[in-house]
Amino acid sequence: MKKLILFSLLLTVYQIKAQTWSALGSIPSGRHHPVTFSINGIGYAVTGTNRFNQPTDDFFSYDPSTDSWSTLTNFPGKARSFSIGTVVNGKAYIGFGADAVEYMRDLWSYDPATGNWTPLTSCPCAGRRHPAFIGIGDKIYAGLGDGLPGNLKDWWEYDIPTDTWKQITDLPGPERHHPYHFNAGGEVLAGFGHAGNFIYRDWYKLDTATGSWTAVNLFPGEARVAGTQFSYNGFGFVLSGDGDNHSWMQTGEMWRYNPSTDTWLQFPSHPGVSRWAPGSFEISGTVYFFGGLNRQTNQFPNDMWKFDLEAATISTAEYDWSQLNIYPNPTEGVIRISNSQDIQTMTLMNVGGQIIYQGAAKPAHDLSGLNAGVYFLHLS
């Protein structure tokens, strides 16, 4: 009996017009896990681990109009790494993190109008490092991370006007730290990250009215951990990080999440291999990327790059669909893709969402090693 493999085809054909990453000046000092944010057209980086593997209280600002950094007064809290931050109503909030002896649970606000830091009420939760931390309205939602209890899945809501915390529903997925997270379209979204050797690509949305979580579509790319993220124009973006073996990926991938359609779209990768725990911020439609650790060379890069999201017009109208042919379907083993030079990536998944293959699309792929059944083929 012949073994037949039937695949359902999904095409994401797009073009990022006339836009690439551009090099900028150097950052003040290479580091991983900087807390990064932007307010009123200025970028900021605070704390993190320096090239001597020490937690810091350094604080810097970046002016994109002059491509220059300034050194600000040090953060007044404990020096730390693995901290996290967000911006709400023109102020920055950072908290949590760790040093050599303590998992922290404190919270601070920074007002750029005065240059002052203000200590706020600490979370009544376990101290932790690299959690998720998302600001929406007059609330901040914090959860996940790891601490003395190990990996965590609890979530907490901080009310800014009353300076109070309350616990909300745990994430329905596994405990984890180093997740990705952002505000997209006024919604709290979080996922990915890892626990031990398990690297995740699941993704969740929080109903802020009820405090309950819903699992949404799995991320179509490689599972990942310890990258950076930002929000822009109602979308969320994830950028760089480690792949599903908790090591560097060949490219520093950037993906955009659309909350209205629960779909992901891949944008051009930053130059070089991916980086562990870099920083980023968005200013006027441009994302600025820097820092982190190059785990291929074990070096702390001090370069900085930018990508103009406004100029990255996404187009599908110019693609000639008649030139693309994928055959035979069903197949006994080998599928062929005509004009595969137009296709950059191919992802093959089983009906359970497990990635069987992900990589470059070639003119022919041998699938004879698969069991008979239905598979999903996603070409981009």
Side-chain angles (χ1 to χ4, degrees):
M1 180 181 296
K2 294 181 179 180
K3 178 177 69 173
L4 293 181
I5 298 169
L6 177 69
F7 55 87
S8 176
L9 181 64
L10 173 63
L11 291 171
T12 303
V13 182
Y14 65 94
Q15 181 180 38
I16 304 296
K17 289 186 177 179
Q19 183 55 30
T20 59
W21 287 86
S22 302
L24 297 168
S26 299
I27 62 176
S29 177
R31 68 191 56 223
H32 62 73
H33 289 91
V35 176
T36 54
F37 55 90
S38 64
I39 302 175
N40 296 332
I42 300 296
Y44 297 88
V46 60
T47 69
T49 298
N50 63 24
R51 62 182 66 250
F52 304 106
N53 202 35
Q54 296 297 314
T56 71
D57 55 9
D58 296 344
F59 189 25
F60 304 98
S61 66
Y62 174 76
D63 186 341
S65 66
T66 58
D67 185 25
S68 61
W69 289 86
S70 299
T71 301
L72 304 178
T73 302
N74 287 356
F75 169 64
K78 289 185 177 181
R80 67 192 66 198
S81 190
F82 320 114
S83 187
I84 198 68
T86 190
V87 172
V88 179
N89 299 325
K91 291 184 179 181
Y93 296 81
I94 83 163
F96 302 100
D99 57 18
V101 297
E102 180 185 4
Y103 292 100
M104 302 172 193
R105 57 187 184 89
D106 55 348
L107 181 67
W108 296 76
S109 69
Y110 173 73
D111 186 346
T114 62
N116 294 330
W117 290 92
T118 302
L120 304 170
T121 299
S122 296
C123 182
C125 56
R128 63 195 68 199
R129 58 183 184 171
H130 27 56
F133 198 70
I134 305 108
I136 291 183
D138 58 3
K139 312 279 189 190
I140 296 173
Y141 299 88
L144 309 180
D146 66 336
L148 288 177
N151 286 293
L152 301 162
K153 60 188 296 184
D154 58 329
W155 277 82
W156 298 77
E157 177 189 284
Y158 174 75
D159 184 78
I160 295 173
T162 61
D163 188 26
T164 58
W165 293 85
K166 72 174 183 180
Q167 189 168 8
I168 58 176
T169 308
D170 289 359
L171 190 81
E175 300 89 348
R176 69 194 69 194
H177 66 280
H178 249 157
Y180 291 74
H181 47 98
F182 47 62
N183 169 355
E187 297 178 337
V188 172
L189 292 126
F192 310 164
H194 84 126
N197 293 324
F198 293 97
I199 313 294
Y200 300 110
R201 62 185 185 91
D202 51 348
W203 196 239
Y204 300 89
K205 179 174 68 176
L206 174 68
D207 184 335
T208 55
T210 64
S212 59
W213 291 91
T214 302
V216 292
N217 284 335
L218 291 174
F219 177 61
E222 182 178 347
R224 64 199 57 216
V225 60
T228 183
Q229 58 275 306
F230 59 95
S231 301
Y232 172 66
N233 201 26
F235 300 107
F237 290 79
V238 299
L239 176 58
S240 207
D242 281 1
D244 57 14
N245 63 349
H246 209 334
S247 186
W248 54 275
M249 297 184 290
Q250 291 288 341
T251 59
E253 297 178 3
M254 179 166 62
W255 292 77
R256 188 192 75 178
Y257 179 74
N258 185 339
S260 64
T261 59
D262 189 19
T263 56
W264 293 88
L265 181 64
Q266 189 170 9
F267 274 53
S269 302
H270 70 71
V273 301
S274 69
R275 300 184 189 181
W276 180 69
S280 67
F281 43 69
E282 177 273 325
I283 299 174
S284 300
T286 295
V287 59
Y288 297 82
F289 171 82
F290 55 92
L293 178 67
N294 182 328
R295 285 157 79 90
Q296 183 184 34
T297 62
N298 202 35
Q299 294 179 335
F300 290 77
N302 67 349
D303 55 350
M304 185 174 183
W305 298 84
K306 70 175 182 178
F307 184 91
D308 190 341
L309 299 164
E310 280 287 335
T313 304
I314 301 168
S315 171
T316 59
E318 298 175 1
Y319 188 79
D320 185 356
W321 296 86
S322 66
Q323 297 302 310
L324 184 65
N325 189 21
I326 300 96
Y327 63 95
N329 185 25
T331 178
E332 296 179 27
V334 176
I335 62 168
R336 301 185 185 280
I337 306 174
S338 64
N339 292 298
S340 60
Q341 70 273 9
D342 293 335
I343 305 300
Q344 293 186 352
T345 62
M346 167 179 162
T347 301
L348 184 71
M349 295 182 288
N350 62 22
V351 293
Q354 180 183 8
I355 293 180
I356 307 300
Y357 170 83
Q358 184 176 53
K362 304 173 184 177
H365 288 267
D366 186 359
L367 309 181
S368 58
L370 300 179
N371 295 325
V374 177
Y375 295 82
F376 297 96
L377 181 63
H378 182 190
L379 301 177
S380 298

